[in-house]
Amino acid sequence: MKKTNATVITIIASLITIVFLILTNEIAISIRLNELSSSLQDIDRTEGSIDNIGLVATYEIHKKLFENRISQEEADAIEQRINSLAILEKSRPPQFDLLFAIISYPALTMINFNRMILGKMPLVRHYDDDSGHVNIDLAYYYERNFLFQRAIKLYDESLINNNLNSSLKAGVLLHQGYCYALSENNDMARKNYLTVINKYGQESSAITATILLGYLEGFRLARERVLNKKEDLVSTSQSLVNLLAYQQALSMLKTAELEARTEDLPRIKYYIARCFAGMGDTNKAVEKYLQVITSSPSSRYAVFSNRKLFMTGSSGGDDTIQNISIELNKKLNDPVLNKMVENKGKIKTKRNIHENMITIDIPQNLKPKVADLISNKDKTGLKNNKHYIIFTSDGNMFKGTLIEQTADHIALKSSIGRINVKKNKVTKVTEK
């Protein structure tokens, strides 16, 4: 009997020991995977989310627009490509939760005791909800959507966190300086850039800060030159938009809108929308973009507005806005937007970003107009063998008999032969 009991006790003790060793091994693996995952996330934040290339690209694109060295089509295509690099959801290693939380701390203590004897660094359990990293991710999301004051505040809060390494701190200061610059607080922007240069000179962010400091001064001088020129309000405000001076431009555009001719309104409203977007008022920007599209669908500014509409939905994570833009493009036939749709990415939807996602509301009075434009995207109302007069956005007028229609153009037979008129330039059609 005693022999049987001893055998049973031995078996049970062996099983307990085996289970304990398996659990300890699993916990050790889980801890190492947790540490590896945290390290990979730090690298992603440093090289991905805190993306210095996008900051320089913003200035360079607008500088070339101001100097008329690139077209709006080229600028929009580059901007969307840069944005897609930042917002594409990257493949990540799965998040491994530490198993058996009750014994994970004793196990971690035991593992670190052994590592101390061997002269190795202790393992540390990393938490996904670290406040510094959460604030950086959310601040960068706000930065991409031009909500600079929110981003600045969150960047400040993240800098309080002592767990940030030198590279991340430099990146945070750099991006906060960029937010100050685009909210037209040049003094604070300059202070941040100089801090990065002087205190974190060994980091790559210091090089970017030096470049941005040059742009900051160059754009300031360019704005002064524009304001000293004797140009009309719309041209001056357009230059200011390209120089990222949205508040100054908006004031001029509102004055110009009151006195504008009908044919000038699409251009004015488009740049007003750009100002609202640059100032972080996404809802008003979307409203203005839709006003341009629904009131002047044949103008080039309707095409520009629809691109910005798509990019707004893309950077903010609003699939509804993106889908509306895609549907509208079936009417507008914009090849640049078609390319954007092909390359579009999915926004990173971490829990903290998802909970603070920007919501965009389409005004009730515009919804039926948008729906009507989408539902009539293939209906022109024109008939073959009828004589028409077509007016275009570049000031031309064409007369002739309609002989063909395609998705891109209207073909007329005139006294000088066949004329193909691009649909995206048509502003008015009358039947003779």
Side-chain angles (χ1 to χ4, degrees):
M1 185 67 178
K2 289 181 179 181
K3 187 176 180 180
T4 303
N5 290 339
T7 303
V8 172
I9 291 171
T10 302
I11 293 172
I12 293 174
S14 299
L15 288 173
I16 292 173
T17 302
I18 292 169
V19 170
F20 176 77
L21 292 174
I22 291 173
L23 291 177
T24 302
N25 186 56
E26 288 293 324
I27 291 169
I29 292 172
S30 181
I31 290 171
R32 294 308 299 266
L33 288 172
N34 176 264
E35 184 181 42
L36 176 61
S37 176
S38 179
S39 297
L40 290 172
Q41 286 179 353
D42 281 345
I43 293 171
D44 181 61
R45 286 187 178 100
T46 303
E47 304 297 336
S49 290
I50 303 300
D51 173 26
N52 299 346
I53 297 174
L55 308 187
V56 176
T58 298
Y59 278 103
E60 188 62 20
I61 291 168
H62 284 80
K63 181 174 181 286
K64 288 182 177 178
L65 277 173
F66 172 67
E67 296 171 347
N68 294 316
R69 289 197 284 142
I70 59 172
S71 66
Q72 191 64 55
E73 285 78 8
E74 292 172 307
D76 288 339
I78 296 170
E79 185 179 347
Q80 174 61 16
R81 183 58 184 157
I82 294 294
N83 288 343
S84 68
L85 293 175
I87 68 173
L88 279 175
E89 194 170 39
K90 300 176 177 66
S91 298
R92 297 177 179 270
Q95 297 294 319
F96 294 94
D97 294 326
L98 292 180
L99 302 175
F100 315 108
I102 296 176
I103 61 172
S104 64
Y105 291 103
L108 185 59
T109 302
M110 184 180 69
I111 293 169
N112 283 336
F113 178 75
N114 291 332
R115 290 178 67 86
M116 182 183 68
I117 293 173
L118 296 172
K120 296 182 178 180
M121 293 293 293
L123 299 180
V124 179
R125 177 172 180 173
H126 296 273
Y127 296 90
D128 291 337
D129 60 349
D130 181 278
S131 59
H133 292 154
V134 166
N135 286 335
I136 290 173
D137 291 333
L138 186 55
Y140 186 62
Y141 170 75
Y142 285 143
E143 177 191 313
R144 289 200 316 271
N145 289 279
F146 305 98
L147 296 168
F148 298 119
Q149 295 306 319
R150 293 193 200 178
I152 288 168
K153 182 180 178 182
L154 286 170
Y155 281 137
D156 264 335
E157 292 175 5
S158 69
L159 288 169
I160 299 171
N161 189 292
N162 293 322
N163 293 329
L164 300 185
N165 59 37
S166 173
S167 179
L168 271 176
K169 284 183 179 178
V172 167
L173 286 167
L174 181 71
H175 277 255
Q176 189 183 51
Y178 171 84
C179 292
Y180 278 128
L182 266 67
S183 56
E184 301 184 41
N185 190 341
N186 288 353
D187 290 339
M188 290 300 297
R190 187 176 293 105
K191 179 182 176 182
N192 273 47
Y193 294 154
L194 289 173
T195 300
V196 175
I197 294 168
N198 296 328
K199 192 174 179 180
Y200 301 95
Q202 76 282 5
E203 302 293 345
S204 61
S205 295
I207 300 172
T208 308
T210 305
I211 297 170
L212 293 183
L213 198 57
Y215 276 122
L216 190 68
E217 182 62 16
F219 272 51
R220 183 187 68 80
L221 294 173
R223 290 166 189 165
E224 289 180 1
R225 289 197 300 269
V226 167
L227 292 171
N228 288 330
K229 283 184 179 179
K230 302 299 181 181
E231 291 186 330
D232 63 276
L233 285 177
V234 180
S235 297
T236 299
S237 57
Q238 181 176 335
S239 295
L240 289 173
V241 168
N242 290 334
L243 291 171
L244 306 172
Y246 298 115
Q247 294 181 15
Q248 290 175 295
L250 181 60
S251 176
M252 293 182 182
L253 286 165
K254 285 185 174 179
T255 302
E257 187 180 21
L258 297 175
E259 304 169 355
R261 298 175 300 173
T262 303
E263 57 267 32
D264 293 331
L265 282 175
R267 178 188 176 193
I268 293 172
K269 287 181 181 293
Y270 166 73
Y271 281 105
I272 287 176
R274 291 278 303 276
C275 290
F276 280 130
M279 294 164 61
D281 197 336
T282 307
N283 278 294
K284 282 189 178 179
V286 167
E287 180 180 357
K288 286 294 181 181
Y289 287 140
L290 288 173
Q291 284 179 7
V292 175
I293 296 167
T294 55
S295 63
S296 306
S298 300
S299 75
R300 61 199 295 256
Y301 292 101
V303 174
F304 294 165
S305 295
N306 197 43
R307 277 186 218 145
K308 293 297 183 183
L309 199 66
F310 177 84
M311 292 160 72
T312 299
S314 177
S315 60
D318 192 319
D319 290 338
T320 302
I321 294 296
Q322 285 192 68
N323 293 335
I324 287 174
S325 175
I326 293 169
E327 287 299 313
L328 286 169
N329 197 45
K330 294 176 181 177
K331 164 73 176 178
L332 302 176
N333 302 308
D334 177 22
V336 177
L337 183 55
N338 288 334
K339 192 68 176 177
M340 289 181 180
V341 174
E342 288 178 17
N343 297 326
K344 77 170 184 172
K346 184 180 179 183
I347 194 168
K348 295 175 184 177
T349 52
K350 291 182 180 179
R351 180 168 55 87
N352 58 305
I353 293 178
H354 182 75
E355 292 172 354
N356 294 277
M357 194 80 75
I358 297 168
T359 56
I360 303 174
D361 299 316
I362 299 175
Q364 290 296 325
N365 64 314
L366 287 174
K367 285 183 178 179
K369 294 180 182 180
V370 172
D372 184 62
L373 192 60
I374 291 173
S375 64
N376 289 282
K377 54 183 175 289
D378 295 322
K379 301 176 183 178
T380 62
L382 305 182
K383 297 179 181 179
N384 286 350
N385 301 319
K386 292 285 187 179
H387 196 85
Y388 293 100
I389 302 174
I390 300 178
F391 301 85
T392 60
S393 57
D394 51 13
N396 291 319
M397 179 179 68
F398 302 97
K399 299 179 182 179
T401 303
L402 179 66
I403 56 176
E404 183 187 26
Q405 291 187 76
T406 70
D408 299 319
H409 68 264
I410 300 171
L412 298 178
K413 182 179 180 182
S414 69
S415 58
I416 59 172
R418 179 187 173 111
I419 300 173
N420 291 335
V421 184
K422 290 186 176 181
K423 284 187 174 180
N424 60 7
K425 290 191 174 182
V426 175
T427 57
K428 183 180 178 182
V429 180
T430 60
E431 184 177 350
K432 184 176 180 182

